[in-house]
Amino acid sequence: MIVSETPKHVAVIMDGNGRWAQQRGLPRLAGHEAGAKAIERCVQACLDTGVEYLTLYAFSSENWKRPALEVNGLMLLLEKFLNQKRDEMVREGIRLHHIGRRKELPAVCQRKLEEVMAATASNTRLHLVLAINYSGRTEIIDAVKSISRDVAAGLLREDDITPEIFDARLDTAGIPDPDLLIRTSGEMRISNFLLWQLSYTEIHVTKKFWPEFEKADFLAALEDFQSRSRRFGGV
Ligand code: FPP
């Protein structure tokens, strides 16, 4: 069956900030700053098209390996983004979620995320899910540990473990699986992002670097999605 509807959940691997900056002779952080502007456009495109969930891969657990200057700059950018966007999110009906290991983030980022999540908790128009210090494998291992503890304590029987029970232990509990994954900068990889949740997700890759990603590119991705035949393993 060809899908004609708008995807409910779009996930994005925002790649190419560094290369975008390098091409212009700018520091990598300038690429991330331009990337933050692209996030604003992408959020607006979701509001305009009725996409209900937008998940953005903003910082992977592997990104700590980058130079301290870049890591610190990204954390500052996140803090600035949350400070600047808080009121707009409240007003526009956007609910903020975080996935990833929050406790390992700088205290100020933890506090900001928690503050904006609390301030937007009753919003439902668009769920903005930021993956920060996120690793799909770690998320799965944490879920396995949580289930193992309950089995050992006699709270859960091994035979009762289902995909739904597993889902509920993930950071994304309560969030539907992505319908569409967009990756920029032409790379054909999942890069440890939402490994469980992407099982049946349609993938759209564009060669554009993330800072160049415009509303028209988002619309092209939706159009591509709508031309796909989704069978979920059936015929
Ligand atoms: C990938 O490009 C991008 C990142 C690792 C960070 C994404 C962050 C932002 C878009 C801005 C800050 C986030 C928020 C939420 C305000 P890359 O650096 O890996 O690019 P490269 O592959 O060209 O080096």
Side-chain angles (χ1 to χ4, degrees):
M1 190 182 66
I2 302 285
V3 276
S4 56
E5 74 272 18
T6 303
K8 194 181 174 101
H9 184 173
V10 176
V12 187
I13 300 179
M14 310 178 288
D15 197 11
N17 294 352
R19 278 164 285 172
W20 179 87
Q22 195 180 22
Q23 273 188 356
R24 287 157 181 78
L26 297 169
R28 291 179 58 82
L29 273 174
H32 296 315
E33 274 167 23
K37 293 269 171 239
I39 290 179
E40 291 177 20
R41 296 194 293 272
C42 193
V43 166
Q44 190 56 52
C46 286
L47 294 173
D48 293 347
T49 53
V51 167
E52 292 173 51
Y53 293 83
L54 173 66
T55 299
L56 301 174
Y57 204 4
F59 192 88
S60 81
S61 302
E62 288 76 31
N63 287 154
W64 296 111
K65 290 185 265 185
R66 295 187 177 204
L69 185 74
E70 184 172 348
V71 170
N72 295 339
L74 278 166
M75 293 300 152
L76 274 174
L77 205 52
L78 169 69
E79 194 192 328
K80 192 169 127 194
F81 178 85
L82 293 173
N83 277 330
Q84 284 178 350
K85 297 288 153 194
R86 182 192 182 282
D87 292 349
E88 191 181 324
M89 287 171 72
V90 171
R91 206 173 49 241
E92 294 293 331
I94 302 170
R95 179 173 178 182
L96 181 75
H97 303 257
H98 170 248
I99 57 171
R101 285 196 171 160
R102 192 146 70 242
K103 291 206 162 18
E104 294 168 4
L105 293 174
V108 59
C109 292
Q110 292 183 41
R111 271 201 308 275
K112 259 291 134 211
L113 281 166
E114 274 154 20
E115 185 210 315
V116 181
M117 285 193 291
T120 59
S122 57
N123 284 349
T124 55
R125 185 172 169 210
L126 172 66
H127 295 261
L128 175 62
V129 185
L130 295 183
I132 305 167
N133 192 24
Y134 176 85
S135 147
R137 286 184 172 178
T138 303
E139 182 190 34
I140 288 173
I141 293 202
D142 286 347
V144 169
K145 284 182 182 165
S146 145
I147 288 178
S148 305
R149 278 195 296 272
D150 281 3
V151 171
L155 297 169
L156 185 66
R157 291 186 319 144
E158 192 185 313
D159 285 347
D160 291 337
I161 302 170
T162 59
E164 290 72 27
I165 294 276
F166 196 80
D167 256 336
R169 306 282 171 139
L170 295 168
D171 290 3
T172 51
I175 296 172
D177 288 343
D179 301 292
L180 171 65
L181 171 71
I182 300 172
R183 182 164 188 153
T184 55
S185 95
E187 310 287 352
M188 301 284 199
R189 281 191 297 279
I190 300 232
S191 301
N192 205 5
F193 189 42
L194 302 173
L195 296 180
W196 168 274
Q197 298 88 338
L198 292 175
S199 297
Y200 289 102
T201 302
E202 298 296 326
I203 302 179
H204 174 89
V205 176
T206 165
K207 284 212 158 61
K208 280 205 175 174
F209 295 138
W210 176 248
E212 300 166 327
F213 195 80
E214 299 284 343
K215 183 176 179 184
D217 302 302
F218 187 82
L219 295 179
L222 294 200
E223 203 174 307
D224 184 17
F225 171 79
Q226 284 161 350
S227 73
R228 305 283 178 93
S229 162
R230 300 186 87 192
R231 293 186 294 277
F232 299 94
V235 287

